[in-house]
Structures are given as C-alpha cells and as structure tokens.
Amino acid sequence: AFDYHATQFRFTVIDRMETILKLLAQRGGKIDLKETLEGLDLTRELVVATFLAVLELTRIGRVRIHQPKGHESIYLFERASSVWLTN
C-alpha cells in the first residue's frame, strides 16, 4: 500500500497567471520577472507555479518575454488578449 498525502496548494498556475496579467495592467504593460514574486514568501511551490504561469501566458500569446543581454533582468510584456500566434 502507498502512503499518500494530499497537499493543499496556496498557489495555482491559474492564480499566478491572473496575478501576472494584473501586474502588467497596473504597470503599463511591462514588468521585471522579479516583480511577480515581490513581497511573497519564496517557496518552491510559488516559484514553480509562477514559472509555469509565465510559460503558459507566453504559449497562449498573452505575454512576450525579453532579456536584453545575458545575466540581466528578464522582462515580461503584455500582449493584447486577441493576439493569436502561429509559431
């Protein structure tokens, strides 16, 4: 028999996606990736949920990611909700 423990997560990918989109709207459509974690207790759960949220927002075309040069800040840019990407 397996010893299975259910865990209640404080963050979901959907929650993090909504938070990121709200931050982008509040800050003129551009944020530093670090801003998505500001003021929060950095747990593995939070970081993973945020990373997956950024990837999903990029995949569906709501966010564009840009890092000007290696080892510099990573920026997220809002895209219109009607944008459909073909690549």
Side-chain angles (χ1 to χ4, degrees):
F2 291 100
D3 188 17
Y4 177 77
H5 298 280
T7 302
Q8 180 67 39
F9 292 108
R10 292 179 296 153
F11 303 100
T12 67
V13 174
I14 299 279
D15 292 338
R16 297 304 296 151
M17 289 171 68
E18 290 173 354
T19 299
I20 291 166
L21 290 173
K22 284 179 190 171
L23 278 171
L24 283 163
Q26 292 168 357
R27 301 193 181 160
K30 176 186 174 185
I31 58 173
D32 188 313
L33 180 60
K34 292 179 223 169
E35 293 178 68
T36 65
L37 301 169
E38 277 182 355
L40 300 171
D41 182 24
L42 290 182
T43 62
R44 182 180 314 165
E45 172 192 344
L46 172 66
V47 173
V48 169
T50 301
F51 178 71
L52 292 174
V54 169
L55 291 178
E56 182 63 12
L57 287 168
T58 303
R59 186 188 73 77
I60 65 174
R62 292 296 306 275
V63 169
R64 182 174 60 88
I65 302 171
H66 179 67
Q67 184 177 24
K69 295 180 183 173
H71 306 293
E72 287 188 11
S73 292
I74 297 170
Y75 294 98
L76 306 179
F77 294 88
E78 184 177 30
R79 289 182 175 238
S81 59
S82 63
V83 171
W84 289 92
L85 298 179
T86 57
N87 54 0

